[in-house]
Amino acid sequence: MTGGKYPEMAGKRILLGVTGGIGAYKAAELVRAFVKEGAHVDVAMTRAASRFITPMTLETLSRNPVAMDMFTPASAGTISHIELAQAADIFLVAPATANYLGKAAAGIADDLLTTISLVVRCPIVLAPAMNSKMWSHPAVGVNTDILRSRGVSFVLPEEGELACGQEGPGRLAGLDRIMESVARNLSRGDLQGLGIIVTAGPTREPLDPVRFITNRSTGKMGYAIAEAAARRGARVHLVSGPVELEAPRGAAITRVGTAREMLGEVQKTIDGADWLIMAAAVADFAPAHYSCTKIPKEGKKVLAVEFSPNPDILLEVLPEKGEKLFVGFAAQTGDPVPEGKKKMARKGLDLMVANDVSREGIGFGSDDNEATLLDPSGREEKMPTMPKTLMADRILDRALELWREKRASAGKKDPEE
Ligand code: CTP
């Protein structure tokens, strides 16, 4: 199995252009990261770039010949530069110098990379890097606007100390941001136009100002779904319980503590949503009485705590379901399918992800998961152990299929169809 953080990169042809700036050395890291994701990487570099990083380095890491010269014919068994440009699924230039932006905006083709730039018809992502004075020059701004108006995506430079010793915007964007943009541009955009609420993580039910009851959910599955859905074009609202994860890119996030707060947030936003994906492990009970002061241990042989049931979020919003698609999770100990089916029926779900959380290496806290997808038609799809990032896309694929069926039977069309 490949690295698997960006499933949309596996098997894709990424054409990486490298131009002559100090950030060119980071192309090596990018190539490695793409190869780790299972992508085929072709590199085309300018002569100036080869002064910052050798073609040999990029050739070794990409395991493919590096193209630099217009007039070197393709060797036996390799494809020509024009074919290379036509075959690309995505064209990324990182770093893109001010000179490159100017030529690309003007349509100048005076070397291999600028020629390729006019041939590609796949999505284009540019990651500029240059001195901050150059970056803020109006000519560069105009060139960037021209390229943007032609549909080119930009991963804007970051602030910081530049190689020339000055401070300011101009440093090549971080690897993560570039990878994210490439993944977003590669993805099918098949969730475009959909509003999706994803809940994730545990809830935290306070007993007194310093103590609370919670569960072992870490939020990884829900966060992976939110990130994948945003990458595929959905408007994502992540309602997150307390977790230690970074906010997923591209999703709006609201952090909540208790089950009641989570319910409040879902109720507030459900109206504008098409899908609700309840990946959160909502606490079923909360302490019946909250003590405003810390409960002392003095004089207690036993501490008896009474609990009262929390509202069931899915059941609470069920009356507002209408034509929305509801996805739930059943985290069970033991065979999750029979209980999963019952919960699916009880909570009016269109799709249930049932998993056994008692198994080592899958479920709470781990990076991998194994689950069975259930739907009301009786279909059962067993998903083998796989990274949660990959499973997120599988769940969304199935949800989309069900959504389309639902829309078709209601005689409606999706915006992107
Ligand atoms: N859920 C919810 N509100 C709750 C509890 C659960 O909306 N108060 C949602 C979960 O997010 C999940 C689904 O319901 O998508 C099933 O959750 P689970 O805890 O497995 O089901 P429960 O109905 O709480 O059943 P039990 O805990 O008794 O197994």
Side-chain angles (χ1 to χ4, degrees):
M1 176 131 329
T2 56
K5 178 146 195 261
Y6 298 105
E8 48 279 271
M9 287 185 193
K12 293 285 165 48
R13 294 187 79 107
I14 299 177
L15 177 55
L16 172 65
V18 186
T19 65
I22 180 67
Y25 79 93
K26 292 192 192 153
E29 270 179 76
L30 273 173
V31 172
R32 257 168 70 125
F34 289 141
V35 169
K36 196 167 161 228
E37 293 294 334
H40 172 109
V41 185
D42 292 305
V43 179
M45 66 200 296
T46 61
R47 292 233 158 258
S50 71
R51 304 189 64 157
F52 293 93
I53 184 165
T54 69
M56 168 92 84
T57 305
L58 299 177
E59 213 155 281
T60 308
L61 292 172
S62 69
R63 301 170 201 151
N64 282 312
V66 166
M68 200 158 67
D69 192 351
M70 283 259 268
F71 304 106
T72 313
S75 50
T78 64
I79 64 174
S80 80
H81 307 143
I82 298 294
E83 284 168 323
L84 202 111
Q86 283 169 336
D89 292 302
I90 190 144
F91 179 44
L92 164 71
V93 183
T97 57
N99 186 42
Y100 173 80
L101 297 181
K103 287 200 222 170
I108 292 171
D110 64 350
D111 65 5
L112 178 75
L113 189 60
T114 44
T115 305
I116 282 177
S117 307
L118 295 187
V119 177
V120 291
R121 290 293 176 269
C122 57
I124 301 175
V125 178
L126 303 182
M130 63 196 74
N131 167 281
S132 53
K133 291 265 182 328
M134 292 169 82
W135 176 243
S136 57
H137 195 284
V140 174
V142 168
N143 290 334
T144 309
D145 287 346
I146 291 173
L147 291 164
R148 233 192 225 115
S149 72
R150 293 188 197 136
V152 171
S153 298
F154 278 85
V155 192
L156 296 181
E158 289 171 3
E159 294 256 355
E161 198 187 329
L162 303 171
C164 55
Q166 291 180 4
E167 287 273 339
R171 200 165 64 184
L172 182 68
L175 189 75
D176 277 0
R177 282 182 54 220
I178 298 177
M179 296 286 287
E180 190 61 41
S181 176
V182 168
R184 193 183 292 273
N185 277 280
L186 271 174
S187 79
R188 297 150 278 184
D190 54 0
L191 301 184
Q192 205 111 42
L194 290 178
I196 304 183
I197 301 175
V198 182
T199 65
T203 62
R204 199 179 259 183
E205 312 297 332
L207 191 56
D208 68 20
V210 296
R211 302 184 180 96
F212 51 79
I213 306 287
T214 188
N215 59 61
R216 293 178 53 211
S217 167
T218 57
K220 282 185 183 166
M221 192 66 242
Y223 273 55
I225 292 175
E227 188 157 318
R231 208 186 298 133
R232 289 167 68 161
R235 257 179 304 114
V236 179
H237 178 204
L238 174 64
V239 183
S240 173
V243 296
E244 309 241 319
L245 302 173
E246 253 180 63
R249 282 181 202 285
I253 182 165
T254 305
R255 295 180 199 276
V256 296
T258 63
R260 282 180 193 280
E261 284 167 17
M262 187 172 275
L263 170 65
E265 196 53 38
V266 172
Q267 280 176 324
K268 209 161 81 189
T269 48
I270 190 78
D271 223 18
D274 299 296
W275 298 6
L276 170 63
I277 304 182
M278 282 293 303
V282 187
D284 289 321
F285 294 92
H289 308 287
Y290 175 74
S291 165
C292 296
T293 52
K294 188 181 169 200
I295 301 169
K297 77 170 178 215
E298 184 94 8
K300 288 192 182 69
K301 282 217 173 77
V302 176
L303 175 67
V305 179
E306 277 188 319
F307 289 92
S308 53
N310 269 331
D312 187 298
I313 300 177
L314 277 169
L315 290 181
E316 290 287 330
V317 295
L318 195 53
E320 286 148 76
K321 187 173 179 222
E323 289 174 4
K324 300 183 201 306
L325 183 108
F326 279 11
V327 181
F329 281 70
Q332 306 296 140
T333 48
D335 182 3
V337 172
E339 263 316 296
K341 283 184 177 166
K342 282 190 212 153
K343 286 182 188 177
M344 175 169 61
R346 194 167 73 233
K347 301 192 180 209
L349 299 174
D350 301 281
L351 179 63
M352 174 57 107
V353 187
N355 67 331
D356 177 357
V357 287
S358 62
R359 299 234 335 257
E360 194 67 24
I362 57 169
F364 288 145
S366 55
D367 288 331
D368 291 345
N369 206 358
E370 187 185 304
T372 304
L373 293 180
L374 309 169
D375 70 38
S377 75
R379 182 171 158 186
E380 288 180 27
E381 183 187 338
K382 199 163 169 25
M383 296 185 288
T385 306
M386 63 178 82
K388 285 179 175 169
T389 47
L390 214 67
M391 187 169 284
D393 273 307
R394 289 278 293 268
I395 295 168
L396 292 171
D397 286 346
R398 189 80 188 91
L400 183 59
E401 210 179 303
L402 290 164
W403 172 250
R404 288 192 169 140
E405 281 169 17
K406 215 172 151 91
R407 306 279 288 176
S409 63
K412 299 213 166 115
K413 278 208 142 270
D414 270 352
E416 78 278 11
E417 278 181 320

